[in-house]
Amino acid sequence: MATPLIVSEVAKAFTMHLRGGIRLPVVANVSFSIRAGECAVLGGPSGAGKSSILKMVYGNYGVDQGQIIVDHHGQLVDLATANPRTVLAVRRDTIGYVSQFLRTVPRVSALDVVAEPLVARGTARDEAHARASELLGRLNLPERLWSLPPATFSGGEQQRVNIARGFITDHPVLLLDEPTASLDATNREVVISLIEEKKLRGTALLGIFHDADVREAVADRIVDVTTFAAGKAAA
Amino acid sequence: MTDEPLLRVTALSKYYGSRIGCEDISFDLWPGEVLAVVGESGSGKTTLLNCLATRLLPTSGTASYRMRDNQWRDLYRMSEAERRFLMRTDWGFVHQNPADGLRMTVSAGANVGERLMAIGDRHYGNIRSTAVDWLGRVEIDEERIDDEPRAFSGGMRQRLQIARNLVTGPRLVFMDEPTGGLDVSVQARLLDLLRGLVTDLGLAAIVVTHDLAVARLLSQRMMVMKDGHVVESGLTDRVLDDPRAPYTQLLVSSILQV
């Protein structure tokens, strides 16, 4: 299928029960789709709901209304209503995610953190480690760090571990939440070329990039999130 | 992942007289899946766990378990002997207080070996070498194999209890506040060890905890309980990052940031 991800009329609000039930609308009527081999970038100022959209697509945030249809092994799954087990299967095989911050687990080495998504899909540990080493090498993470848990790494080092972890698999859909925020120019270039390679291989990418240079280099299309402002739909 | 769950729980309720222990709980647990049950003291989470592990009999509702031969059995209609056998072989139960799950006056090695003997292992050399192997996996020095758990620290006792439970290769482990009585650095080590073992062995587990960080680290799914009811359930990261029920929001917002 040439359009692995379709977001249709999605709405999201937060209800703050501890604050007297205040309802904070985030987005409404979010509709867009991404084709294979395309990189769409969510555009708009902070607070427009870019991250919330990304998190809904990953199943990390609940969806109040609408559908998020993903092609999972040739079957169409609606992530807005899928049960937890289906969401986990989609994450394992279909939708990858590079989060803004790495959630570190004590005592697990950087190499294992990166290799884990492959191991979870049944790749032999040696082969997964080889792929992980290759990616960490490309991202210029010093080799002496590979066997250490990333908890003590700098922000940029952790981010590179996170990027390697997200890019190691061949998931048909890849979500990127500011993957270049704390990288230097050299490593930003590496990420841009990694994204180009994904596109050539037919991955559908959806990202948030505050860095204008990176955005211009990778974006095929900007999805303007301000048009989904929840207030607008109500007014 | 298999196509069939391991455990099916339907409308399970337990009353203590007119008081609710837990009420109308239903869920499925699949092989290799870790479910966290969170909530404050008195929310019914331990009552639920004890009902599932057949340490308590529910007032109503059913729980079925898929045995190793793929036959479904109603847990509350099994004979006492069958239940005990299940408990000693295919299940584990990790208590908050290791003294409840260990025999404090026999050696560490015997604590691990006892479960093997219960399933018919009679070869002393094999039992001892398996015990040594398991002590290693839970990071207890082999030299301590003949010591009694009375002489162990709290963290070591808890690790020994885990080894005792996992040595028979169970498919389902119940854990009641497994890191409860331990200080923070010991907790982190234990959690990490548990996480590794659960992943490597493909265990299914039901973990009762009031600690959301434990739930985040160990589980894929979670149920939030209050006053005997499940108020919210779902993927662990979804429940913690986008809590919807008022009580879950209170729980999540009560975590102190370090």
Side-chain angles (χ1 to χ4, degrees), chain B residues 7-105:
Chain B
L7 179 71
R8 275 205 162 119
V9 181
T10 313
L12 201 74
S13 301
K14 170 74 184 175
Y15 301 95
Y16 299 103
S18 61
R19 209 158 47 79
I20 295 174
C22 62
E23 190 169 60
D24 198 21
I25 313 284
S26 300
F27 68 91
D28 289 346
L29 186 77
W30 271 268
E33 191 174 48
V34 180
L35 172 73
V37 182
V38 306
E40 63 201 357
S41 314
S43 61
K45 54 194 198 304
T46 299
T47 295
L48 173 64
L49 191 76
N50 283 330
C51 284
L52 296 174
T54 68
R55 295 159 54 82
L56 272 179
L57 285 181
T59 313
S60 61
T62 58
S64 315
Y65 183 71
R66 185 163 56 81
M67 308 293 278
R68 283 180 193 246
D69 60 5
N70 279 323
Q71 297 293 312
W72 283 92
R73 297 295 306 275
D74 181 339
L75 290 179
Y76 308 120
R77 290 175 185 216
M78 282 180 160
S79 72
E80 185 59 36
E82 283 177 302
R83 273 207 293 263
R84 213 177 303 133
F85 185 72
L86 199 59
M87 202 70 213
R88 278 197 308 230
T89 56
D90 214 22
W91 287 4
F93 196 107
V94 176
H95 298 263
Q96 174 171 7
N97 180 0
D100 294 338
L102 290 171
R103 290 179 56 196
M104 299 303 281
T105 54

Side-chain angles (χ1 to χ4, degrees), chain A residues 33-40 199 202-206 220-221:
Chain A
S33 61
I34 315 176
R35 289 188 301 278
E38 178 186 46
C39 179
K199 285 206 256 182
T203 306
L205 296 109
L206 176 64
D220 296 306
R221 195 154 56 86

Side-chain angles (χ1 to χ4, degrees), chain A residues 16-214:
Chain A
M16 320 288 277
H17 292 288
L18 306 180
R19 298 282 172 272
I22 299 175
R23 202 167 160 279
L24 294 176
V26 184
V27 285
N29 240 321
V30 181
S31 298
F32 63 90
S33 61
I34 315 176
R35 289 188 301 278
E38 178 186 46
C39 179
V41 172
L42 296 171
S46 293
K50 302 188 294 294
S51 276
S52 292
I53 292 173
L54 220 52
K55 285 174 176 173
M56 285 190 279
V57 174
Y58 196 57
N60 178 231
Y61 276 6
V63 177
D64 295 344
Q65 275 173 50
Q67 294 180 307
I68 298 177
I69 308 291
V70 63
D71 178 359
H72 176 59
H73 294 307
Q75 285 203 312
L76 299 184
V77 171
D78 179 8
L79 287 169
T81 54
N83 64 39
R85 213 164 151 262
T86 306
V87 177
L88 288 173
V90 167
R91 287 180 183 180
R92 190 188 60 225
D93 295 339
T94 305
I95 301 187
Y97 180 48
V98 177
S99 60
Q100 216 169 339
F101 302 103
L102 181 66
R103 191 175 281 282
T104 58
V105 177
R107 303 206 300 181
V108 179
S109 75
L111 201 62
D112 280 325
V113 170
V114 175
E116 200 261 335
L118 276 185
V119 174
R121 302 187 67 196
T123 308
R125 203 169 284 270
D126 287 353
E127 194 189 327
H129 275 173
R131 292 270 300 279
S133 308
E134 192 191 318
L135 270 170
L136 288 174
R138 268 190 81 181
L139 287 157
N140 304 302
L141 191 78
E143 201 170 336
R144 62 189 155 77
L145 297 180
W146 297 1
S147 60
L148 302 176
T152 55
F153 292 7
S154 73
E157 286 162 351
Q158 290 197 2
Q159 193 161 44
R160 279 177 277 160
V161 171
N162 225 2
I163 292 166
R165 180 183 161 91
F167 277 81
I168 196 165
T169 53
D170 290 319
H171 285 56
V173 178
L174 186 56
L175 311 175
L176 307 168
D177 193 352
E178 296 215 50
T180 55
S182 34
L183 299 187
D184 58 27
T186 317
N187 286 310
R188 270 204 300 271
E189 288 302 320
V190 176
V191 174
I192 291 171
S193 59
L194 285 172
I195 291 172
E196 288 304 326
E197 288 163 29
K198 285 284 181 201
K199 285 206 256 182
L200 288 175
R201 264 188 270 137
T203 306
L205 296 109
L206 176 64
I208 300 171
F209 299 92
H210 279 150
D211 185 324
D213 295 343
V214 179

